[in-house]
Amino acid sequence: QVQLVESGGGLVQAGGSLRLSCVASGLSFSSYAMGWFRQAPGKEREFVAASSWSGGITRYADSVKGRFTISRDNAKNMVYLQMNSLKPEDTAVYYCAVQRVPWGLGPYYSRDVGYWGQGTQVTVSS
C-alpha cells in the first residue's frame, strides 16, 4: 500500500521561507517521478513542481519559478519543496504526489497522479 506523508507546513509572513517534506512508502521510490500540487480555497488543485525519478529534471509552474525548488533523496524515500520569497497568494494546502506510472518527468495534471498525500497547510500572511 502506497503512502505519502507531508510535513513542514505552517504560518509564515510574506517574504519568508518554508520547507515541505514528503516521505513515501510502499513503492520503489527511486523508480517514480514525484510532484507537488496545491489547492487554495475555492480553486482547483494546481501543479506546482515535479522531479523526474532521478531528480535530474525538474519542472515548475510559472508562478513559483525562481522561488521554489523541488529536490529528492532516493536513499531516504523523501521529496522536498523549498519555498522562498513566499507571497500571500501561495496560501494553499500542498499535496505530495507520485506519478501514476514509473519513470517519466513527473505528474503535471491530476490525471497523471497515482497517489496523493493527505496535504499540509501553508498560510502566508501579508
Side-chain angles (χ1 to χ4, degrees):
Q1 181 181 357
V2 176
Q3 284 192 317
L4 304 174
V5 180
E6 302 99 333
S7 60
L11 174 63
V12 64
Q13 288 189 334
S17 298
L18 282 175
R19 188 195 196 204
L20 305 184
S21 300
C22 172
V23 59
S25 60
L27 78 166
S28 180
F29 182 77
S30 61
S31 299
Y32 283 85
M34 299 292 294
W36 289 93
F37 290 70
R38 66 186 182 186
Q39 187 167 18
K43 294 188 176 182
E44 292 188 354
R45 195 170 296 189
E46 64 176 4
F47 169 78
V48 175
S51 167
S52 64
W53 56 275
S54 67
I57 298 173
T58 56
R59 296 184 296 170
Y60 298 92
D62 287 343
S63 59
V64 307
K65 204 170 292 183
R67 300 188 297 122
F68 290 11
T69 302
I70 187 171
S71 61
R72 63 189 293 160
D73 184 340
N74 285 346
K76 296 181 179 180
N77 284 15
M78 298 285 294
V79 62
Y80 307 98
L81 186 67
Q82 178 66 44
M83 305 185 295
N84 299 329
S85 302
L86 282 161
K87 305 175 180 179
E89 51 263 44
D90 294 318
T91 295
V93 177
Y94 283 70
Y95 296 91
C96 177
V98 60
Q99 187 169 289
R100 190 170 52 84
V101 296
W103 316 117
L105 299 179
Y108 184 81
Y109 300 104
S110 292
R111 63 175 181 261
D112 300 328
V113 176
Y115 296 91
W116 298 96
Q118 84 286 354
T120 186
Q121 176 70 47
V122 172
T123 303
V124 185
S125 62
S126 56

